[in-house]
Amino acid sequence: MMWFQPDLLKGRAALVTGGGTGICRGIALALASAGCDVAVTSRRQEHLDPAAAEIAGAGVRALAVAGDVRDPAAVEAVVARTAEAFGRIDILVNGAAGNFVCLAESLSPNGFGTVVDIDLKGTFNVSRAVLPHLKVRGGVVLNISATLQLLGTVGQSHAAAAKAGVDSLTRTLAAEWGPSGVRVNGLAPGPVEGTEGVSRLTTPATRQAIQQQCPLGRLATIEEIATAALFLCSDASAFITGVTLVVDGGLWLRSARALGVE
């Protein structure tokens, strides 16, 4: 990650939801490596404490605070603690998400609603709560999306619907909040090596199909997703808003079959 200046985000503070594990942990560490103070939140404190220790190891301030993005009161508490600890919030990364493979005919209303509540409503809840802080100096919201909704991905009706909503929300908030100096963008990773999502949502057969169909011939790494996020959170993208950047090696251009249940 040495394409950027080590002090690229020095003096700024970020809140990363879902930041204890996977892609969002990687994003949190990338922000920290650029000099940003970082708070991470998710429902489980045991996932957050090790991530916060790594963030602090980059020489910045770190905070780990548990909270459920589905609960507006819990979100307000997380935001308040972050602002109190750092004195500001300049960057929000909405990464908390839930998913599982299930055909629509077998999917319960509760299962569908749970994913929408976490991915879509959670993104709205946290964005709305952080906005007053972002408006103080101008800030950035980065919504972690996916590529499922770009295709007819079998077994992913719930997650695809939720992420389609996130993409739409990204565009709307960019239009509404731009005059206040707040940029809102999205990042849509494809399958990423070494993540729980890939381990739970793919089989050896679908994994091989993904690699064969991807124009670049492999899965992404967490670091590659994190560097794309760092770009969108920094002044390097100062005139970009309302965009959802797909980072999947061109996979979504080829086929949806490799990503679902056959």
Side-chain angles (χ1 to χ4, degrees):
M1 296 186 191
M2 293 310 296
W3 60 267
F4 61 89
Q5 298 174 350
D7 61 350
L8 182 66
L9 298 176
K10 186 176 181 180
R12 302 186 195 182
L15 171 62
V16 182
T17 73
T21 58
I23 291 170
C24 291
R25 172 184 164 276
I27 292 173
L29 292 173
L31 295 173
S33 70
C36 189
D37 297 326
V38 182
V40 289
T41 186
S42 70
R43 286 179 292 169
R44 297 182 179 179
Q45 189 71 37
E46 63 267 26
H47 289 164
L48 299 173
D49 290 334
E54 289 186 83
I55 291 166
V60 299
R61 292 181 293 177
L63 176 67
V65 52
D68 190 336
V69 298
R70 295 173 293 182
D71 180 353
V75 167
E76 292 285 354
V78 168
V79 171
R81 283 195 60 188
T82 302
E84 180 181 9
F86 299 151
R88 58 192 294 165
I89 303 176
D90 305 283
I91 298 166
L92 167 63
V93 179
N94 284 306
N99 197 7
F100 51 90
V101 176
C102 187
L103 296 172
E105 64 186 278
S106 303
L107 182 61
S108 70
N110 183 64
F112 186 94
T114 296
V115 172
V116 170
D117 285 347
I118 298 171
D119 290 33
L120 178 54
K121 291 184 181 179
T123 294
F124 173 77
N125 290 339
V126 186
S127 297
R128 184 176 180 275
V130 172
L131 177 61
H133 301 280
L134 299 178
K135 290 169 70 174
V136 173
R137 302 171 186 85
V140 176
V141 177
L142 180 62
N143 297 325
I144 305 304
S145 184
T147 56
L148 307 170
Q149 70 281 11
L150 304 177
L151 310 161
T153 307
V154 177
Q156 293 286 273
S157 61
H158 46 317
K163 293 302 189 183
V166 169
D167 289 351
S168 180
L169 186 63
T170 294
R171 293 187 291 270
T172 300
L173 297 185
E176 290 189 7
W177 296 355
S180 297
V182 178
R183 296 190 297 113
V184 185
N185 287 303
L187 179 63
V192 180
E193 195 78 66
T195 61
E196 182 182 355
V198 163
S199 65
R200 291 200 300 107
L201 301 177
T202 65
T203 66
T206 58
R207 184 182 175 85
Q208 183 178 15
I210 289 169
Q211 293 171 327
Q212 290 173 344
Q213 292 188 42
C214 179
L216 295 187
R218 61 177 177 83
L219 280 65
T221 66
I222 290 177
E223 182 175 354
E224 286 168 332
I225 304 303
T227 55
L230 185 56
F231 164 70
L232 290 173
C233 290
S234 75
D235 291 341
S237 61
F239 205 60
I240 298 174
T241 195
V243 169
T244 295
L245 177 65
V246 176
V247 185
D248 76 338
L251 177 63
W252 84 274
L253 300 172
R254 299 289 294 273
S255 173
R257 294 182 60 196
L259 301 179
V261 178
E262 298 295 310

